[in-house]
Amino acid sequence: MTAPTPTPAKPRARIPKTVWDLIFTLAIPIAILSPNLLGEGIGVASLLGGGQTGNVRAYVLSALIPVAYVVWDLLKNRTLSPVAVIGGVGAMLSGALAFWFVDGFWYAIKDSARLYLTALLFGLSALTAVPLFRVFLDATTIGESDADRQATNAALRDPVVHRGLVGATLLFAVMELVQGVINSYVNYERVVAKFGTDDFNAQVAQVNAIMRVPGMVISLIGVWLAISLVQRAVKVRYGADASLFEPAKLAERHRALQAGAAPVPSGEAQA
C-alpha cells in the first residue's frame, strides 16, 4: 500500500498592512484615550495613576504608539525611500509635539502642525529644481530596468514636465493646507476641555475618529489632482499615448524625442 499523499497546509491569511496601520495609528490611540475603556469609568489613564497625571501619561502614550509603529515599520522593512522618510519625519514630529501640553486654540494648531509643515516644505520646494511631489512619482520607477529608470527620470526633468511637477507640488501643498485648516477648525470646535482631564482625552479621541476618513479623502484627492497635472504635461510633451503609469513606454518616447522624432499627435494616438 502506498502512503496517502499529505494534504499541503493552507497558507495562513495575512492581515493587510493597511489594517495594521489603522490599528496602531487610530484604534489603539483612541482606546488609550478613552476614559471608559474597561467600563465603570476605568481606562488606561486610571491604570497609569489616575487624575491629571494619569490623563497626561495616557495622552503622551497615545501619541507615541503611532511613532513607535512607524519607526518599527521602517526598521523592519528597511524602507528608506523618500516617501517613507517623509512619513517617518512627520510621525516623529507629531510624537515630539505630544510633549507640548496645550489646549484650546494652540492644541488645534498643534494637531495640524504636521500638515502645515508638509504644505510649507512642498510649497518651498516648488521654487527649487526638485519639487517634492516628484518623490511620489519616483516611487513608480522602482520596478524598472536601470536604462528605463534613467530615461524616465530624464523625462521628468524635461522643462514642460517640470512645469507640471511644479504645479502638482503647489497643488498638493494647498490640499495639505486645506486639510490642516479643516482639522484645526474641528479640533477648536470640539476639543474644548482643559488639558489633562478625562474630557480632554475623550474629545481628542473623538476628533481623531471623526477626521481620519475625511483626512484620507482630502489627501487622496490632492494626490490624484497633482498626478493628473503631471500626466497632462507628459502627454503634451510626449504624445497622447504616453503615461506616468507606463514607465517603459514613457522612457521609449523620451528616447525617441532625444533621437529627433516628433511626439505622437493626439488625433493619431486616438485613431
Side-chain angles (χ1 to χ4, degrees), residues 2-265:
T2 59
T5 303
T7 303
K10 293 182 179 180
R12 295 175 60 184
R14 298 184 61 183
I15 299 176
K17 185 177 183 301
T18 303
V19 175
W20 286 118
D21 291 347
L22 289 174
I23 289 173
F24 283 96
T25 64
L26 184 64
I28 292 178
I30 287 177
I32 292 172
L33 290 170
S34 174
N36 199 39
L37 177 65
L38 303 177
E40 302 297 329
I42 300 174
V44 174
S46 302
L47 303 177
L48 294 177
Q52 183 178 26
T53 299
N55 283 320
V56 171
R57 289 171 177 171
Y59 171 78
V60 172
L61 179 62
S62 73
L64 294 183
I65 289 290
V67 179
Y69 170 72
V70 170
V71 173
W72 173 82
D73 188 55
L74 287 173
L75 295 176
K76 175 177 176 290
N77 297 307
R78 297 181 180 179
T79 306
L80 294 177
S81 68
V83 175
V85 170
I86 290 174
V89 170
M92 286 185 281
L93 172 66
S94 298
L97 287 174
F99 295 94
W100 183 23
F101 299 152
V102 290
D103 48 39
F105 173 80
W106 286 112
Y107 174 78
I109 296 298
K110 182 186 82 167
D111 195 62
S112 298
R114 177 181 59 82
L115 295 168
Y116 293 142
L117 179 61
T118 300
L120 178 62
L121 291 177
F122 272 69
L124 291 176
S125 76
L127 304 175
T128 71
V130 186
L132 273 176
F133 191 74
R134 179 169 173 167
V135 301
F136 294 103
L137 302 181
D138 284 343
T140 66
T141 68
I142 292 176
E144 297 180 34
S145 66
D146 289 341
D148 282 349
R149 187 168 187 174
Q150 290 175 8
T152 301
N153 287 335
L156 292 175
R157 289 194 298 268
D158 178 89
V160 174
V161 180
H162 179 78
R163 286 195 291 272
L165 273 173
V166 170
T169 300
L170 289 173
L171 177 59
F172 184 78
V174 169
M175 294 301 289
E176 290 291 282
L177 179 61
V178 168
Q179 185 184 166
V181 170
I182 293 174
N183 186 67
S184 289
Y185 175 77
V186 174
N187 272 284
Y188 184 69
E189 287 293 313
R190 290 181 174 269
V191 184
V192 296
K194 280 294 186 181
F195 180 81
T197 63
D198 288 347
D199 287 343
F200 178 87
N201 282 6
Q203 290 166 5
V204 169
Q206 182 185 51
V207 171
N208 286 346
I210 290 173
M211 288 304 300
R212 177 51 63 97
V213 172
M216 291 174 62
V217 170
I218 294 172
S219 291
L220 289 174
I221 290 174
V223 171
W224 178 75
L225 290 175
I227 288 178
S228 298
L229 273 182
V230 183
Q231 185 83 300
R232 181 180 177 183
V234 165
K235 290 183 178 297
V236 168
R237 181 67 175 116
Y238 296 104
D241 63 336
S243 172
L244 289 170
F245 303 107
E246 297 181 85
K249 182 180 289 187
L250 178 58
E252 179 183 349
R253 292 300 306 153
H254 177 74
R255 285 192 289 264
L257 281 177
Q258 292 295 101
V264 179

